[in-house]
Amino acid sequence: MAWTREQMAARAAKELRDGYYVNLGIGIPTLVSNFIPDGIDVSLQSENGMLGMGPFPYEGEEDADLINAGKQTVSELPDTSYFSSADSFGMVRGGHIDLSILGAMQVAQNGDLANWMIPGKMVKGMGGAMDLVAGVKRVVVVMEHSAKDGPKLLKTCNLPLTGEKVVDLVVTDLAVFTIDKYGKDGMALIELADGVTLDEVKAKTEAEFRVALKNA
């Protein structure tokens, strides 16, 4: 049985470390904020100019002026800081963000990422993904394992790239993979979702990977 969106977010949250500055992309990655492990203190950064985002507000307590990069209302904390978008991207490009967790349409076995457009379809904007994957120290992708037309983990991406050799870890609804983007170890399967078999993952994955299951 595949992981739910919440279970995927919870698994990605295990990559958080105490003291990290973290940027969460729209979609499933925003759920990671609900699963920050006990004893771990992280600061969530949004490229629209907010550092130290609080939890999503309860209904009726929303402040329309407090939003994340995905236009969702958020809350502030006692130590929240506000600044311009230019300063925010200066943090990203300057290498001051430790971890970015974002979604993707495709990931290649060498760490290439495609997540900003599909040719022929409307593009609202490329957002900050290109800056994030180029400037952040570590990149984790959280996505569904397959699209309607086939695998999303590929030998080579066929959509326009967001970045080359940028992905360090992929969490899907079926499994978790590490990517040695600059070495010779390539992509490695390290975890299976509950009830998911190795044969199922192989059948739904075009990318070449080695099996390095932690419980094997």
Side-chain angles (χ1 to χ4, degrees):
M1 182 176 180
W3 279 331
T4 64
R5 291 164 57 92
E6 288 73 20
Q7 289 173 314
M8 294 163 65
R11 174 56 186 84
K14 292 182 180 180
E15 300 303 309
L16 301 174
R17 300 291 182 268
D18 193 47
Y20 266 16
Y21 293 96
V22 182
N23 185 287
L24 300 179
I26 61 175
I28 299 175
T30 61
L31 300 176
V32 172
S33 61
N34 296 331
F35 299 97
I36 297 174
D38 293 337
I40 298 294
D41 182 23
V42 299
S43 296
L44 300 181
Q45 188 257 16
S46 180
E47 56 262 43
N48 62 324
M50 191 174 181
L51 179 66
M53 287 187 293
F56 292 114
Y58 291 107
E59 186 175 353
E61 297 180 0
E62 301 93 340
D63 182 341
D65 290 327
L66 295 181
I67 59 173
N68 60 22
K71 307 298 188 293
Q72 297 169 304
T73 53
V74 295
S75 63
E76 62 181 357
L77 301 171
D79 59 352
T80 297
S81 300
Y82 301 96
F83 33 82
S84 72
S85 179
D87 288 331
S88 181
F89 276 97
M91 293 178 185
V92 172
R93 295 167 183 167
H96 303 293
I97 305 301
D98 298 289
L99 176 67
S100 177
I101 302 177
L102 37 73
M105 291 177 278
Q106 294 178 346
V107 175
Q109 62 193 37
N110 69 342
D112 288 355
L113 170 69
N115 79 339
W116 76 279
M117 75 165 293
I118 298 176
K121 293 191 176 183
M122 184 182 72
V123 180
K124 294 182 180 179
M126 66 179 64
M130 291 183 181
D131 292 276
L132 286 166
V133 299
V136 171
K137 297 172 184 175
R138 180 171 168 80
V139 174
V140 173
V141 166
V142 183
M143 67 178 188
E144 301 291 337
H145 198 93
S146 303
K148 293 180 181 179
D149 58 351
K152 296 175 68 173
L153 287 170
L154 307 172
K155 293 180 179 179
T156 304
C157 294
N158 53 49
L159 292 176
L161 292 183
T162 306
E164 296 182 352
K165 296 182 179 181
V166 294
V167 179
D168 297 284
L169 187 83
V170 180
V171 178
T172 77
D173 53 330
L174 301 184
V176 182
F177 299 84
T178 58
I179 297 179
D180 183 12
K181 56 192 180 186
Y182 292 118
K184 299 180 180 179
D185 289 338
M187 179 179 285
L189 170 66
I190 61 170
E191 293 179 41
L192 292 172
D194 300 334
V196 173
T197 66
L198 177 58
D199 286 341
E200 181 180 0
V201 172
K202 287 182 176 179
K204 296 180 178 180
T205 307
E206 180 195 287
E208 297 178 356
F209 63 89
R210 59 189 177 87
V211 179
L213 294 171
K214 295 180 178 179
N215 57 354

